[in-house]
Amino acid sequence: MSAAGGTVAQAVGAALVRCGVGAVFGVVGSGNFAVTNAMVAAGARFVAARHEGGAATMADAYARTSGGVAAVSLHQGCGLTNSLTGVTEAAKSRTPLVVVTAEATSPRSNFAVDQWALAEAVGAVPVRVTAADDAVAQAAAAVATARDDRRVVVLNLPLDVQALPASPGEPPVAGTPSPVPPDPAAVQRLTDALRAARRPVFVAGRGSRGPGSRAALEELADRCGALLATSAVARGLFRGSAWDLDVSGGFATPLAAELVSAADLVVGWGCALNTWTTRHGRLIADDAVVVQVDLEADAIGAHRDVALGVVGDVRAVAAAVTAQLGEPATGYRTPEVRERIARRGRWRHEPFEEAGEAGHVDPRTLTIGLDDLLPAERVVAVDSGNFMGYPSVFLDVPDESGFCFTQAFQSVGLGLATAIGAALARPDRLPVAALGDGGALMGAAELETVVRLGLPMVVVVYDDAAYGAEVHHFGPHGDVLDTVRFPETDFAAIARGYGFDAVTVRGVEDLAGVAAWVAGPRSAPLLVDAKVARERPSWWLEEAFRGH
């Protein structure tokens, strides 16, 4: 589409789509009306959210799950500030995202705010279109930066510039740069470390979710006898492997924690090896050799000291090491370890004592029951809170695209919007949103979005009538908890008001309503209002609060 005859707003919208943005989420106001319509006219899908925070998180989840660049479209001033929690989460997660936001021209405008400073403050890359003659090039550069550098770019469109006649011309479309080959000396050192290891463990993170990375890592692990684990955001990457330990860190099974702790070599592949993945460092033995492979040199050693850092693409580094490694080694892959993983490799294999609170279902029993009932081809999104460990480990996922974990900012209230974005990226799978009662109420406006879009979603609300994390953190010390406890909410009634089917679960027998919905016709989304046991904290909670 030529920019001739249109405005800057129209040219920028068309350029963003031409450069690869296929989906845009937002709330449309006067300031972003023209650019949003231009994106739609150029072929992008627009998804209207009910709150800008939800729109930003939907776009974040869509980009993570699809592997492409997504966009958010926002009104000037309050539109951007409403979105900032979602934008911050995306920026911390290095999600490729373009935030297209109008910007007030006059400092006397009610909408005037320092949008450049806001973007910088949350870790995004600010850009401002200041003239018609370079508007298209600025838009193209914003997409390239988001895609190639894995950054959130805030593209400011001042109102006076938007209205200018566009300069003629097509947006330049930059090719994706080839990954820089890893340093041969670093590859050799990693090869030597793997040859010397007797109990190697690979921990794969967000940087291992790219095409071909699983195959490259599994081939290398087969050669050196490594066990396979992931950070939470990459959960499911090695699903189906006999050597898959599932998640390392606070969500690790007792067996996974034992085996990772006994490793003599731990390699983080596109993984920060941060406090959550290593249980504040205690999961890795003091005498273990720690290696980190990452595209970003600054990421290596950012959270802990490492013996070796290799800068490079996960797939390329793994392939280079495999080519040098030589004869296969047994490593950690003994028949006894394989049998133990098969027997105790998932949390549902661990015995537990039922909570036994009348009128309240044990969240473990609930989640295991849902795991058995819901189709295996699913994409699970989890909000933040005391409950979050249960769906994160008891709901299985088919692969890394089946789990969307927007927790880099640890904000409550992002879970439902996350599920919407992931569902739109993977329409072939059943979307499951796992929320606490606090997060469900924060994001309740987007229940309408689920119904309007016709998503066959299952929303599970783990209702303990409280901010459970605070209850269990401060309660044992005798603190007054009136500020974090609430009356019980009838989430089923709320959901029906939006057009959901709904079932209230107080015991495992109530899951019959879920089974009936799964059997069909699934003409409306389903909300499961689960009244969960309240007296015990999640097993991971004490560990989590060590990071506060």
Side-chain angles (χ1 to χ4, degrees), residues 20 35 47 74 76 101 114 147 173 263 322 354 412 414 458 472:
V35 70
V47 178
L74 306 171
Q76 63 271 24
T101 178
D114 190 344
R147 180 194 64 217
V173 180
T322 300
E354 287 279 346
V412 174
L414 306 187
V458 176
H472 296 297

Side-chain angles (χ1 to χ4, degrees), residues 58-202:
M58 291 174 200
D60 180 4
Y62 184 92
R64 296 186 197 209
T65 306
S66 69
V69 181
V72 188
S73 181
L74 306 171
H75 189 272
Q76 63 271 24
C78 54
L80 177 61
T81 59
N82 275 350
S83 77
L84 279 182
T85 296
V87 171
T88 304
E89 167 64 35
K92 285 178 174 288
S93 298
R94 300 295 293 269
T95 299
L97 185 65
V98 179
V99 180
V100 185
T101 178
E103 187 175 34
T105 301
S106 169
R108 294 184 297 276
S109 168
N110 287 351
F111 298 119
V113 66
D114 190 344
Q115 297 188 180
W116 188 282
L118 287 173
E120 288 188 321
V122 301
V125 178
V127 176
R128 179 176 289 120
V129 175
T130 57
D133 58 1
D134 69 347
V136 166
Q138 288 274 51
V143 177
T145 298
R147 180 194 64 217
D148 301 337
D149 297 343
R150 298 174 298 124
R151 298 296 299 272
V152 172
V153 179
V154 176
L155 180 63
N156 292 285
L157 299 177
L159 294 178
D160 58 346
V161 178
Q162 283 195 50
L164 294 174
S167 298
E170 298 285 351
V173 180
T176 303
S178 300
V180 176
D183 175 39
V187 169
Q188 184 60 56
R189 290 179 63 193
L190 176 52
T191 303
D192 292 342
L194 288 170
R195 284 180 180 143
R198 295 295 174 263
R199 296 178 305 280
V201 170
F202 290 175

Side-chain angles (χ1 to χ4, degrees), residues 325-345:
L325 200 55
E327 292 300 314
T330 299
Y332 220 154
R333 297 187 172 190
T334 66
E336 186 242 350
V337 168
R338 179 171 185 153
E339 187 276 332
R340 294 181 72 196
I341 294 172
R343 183 164 45 86
R344 295 182 55 207

Side-chain angles (χ1 to χ4, degrees), residues 302-386:
H303 293 274
R304 61 160 299 135
D305 292 336
V306 297
L308 170 64
V310 183
V311 178
D313 172 73
V314 164
R315 179 180 177 182
V317 173
V321 175
T322 300
Q324 295 189 20
L325 200 55
E327 292 300 314
T330 299
Y332 220 154
R333 297 187 172 190
T334 66
E336 186 242 350
V337 168
R338 179 171 185 153
E339 187 276 332
R340 294 181 72 196
I341 294 172
R343 183 164 45 86
R344 295 182 55 207
R346 298 289 179 269
W347 267 107
R348 67 178 297 156
H349 299 155
E350 295 294 321
F352 63 88
E353 180 183 349
E354 287 279 346
E357 296 176 31
H360 296 89
V361 64
D362 189 299
R364 295 162 294 188
T365 302
L366 166 76
T367 315
I368 291 170
L370 291 171
D371 187 50
D372 291 339
L373 287 171
L374 299 177
E377 285 297 312
R378 63 184 72 147
V379 54
V380 176
V382 181
D383 210 326
S384 191
N386 174 57

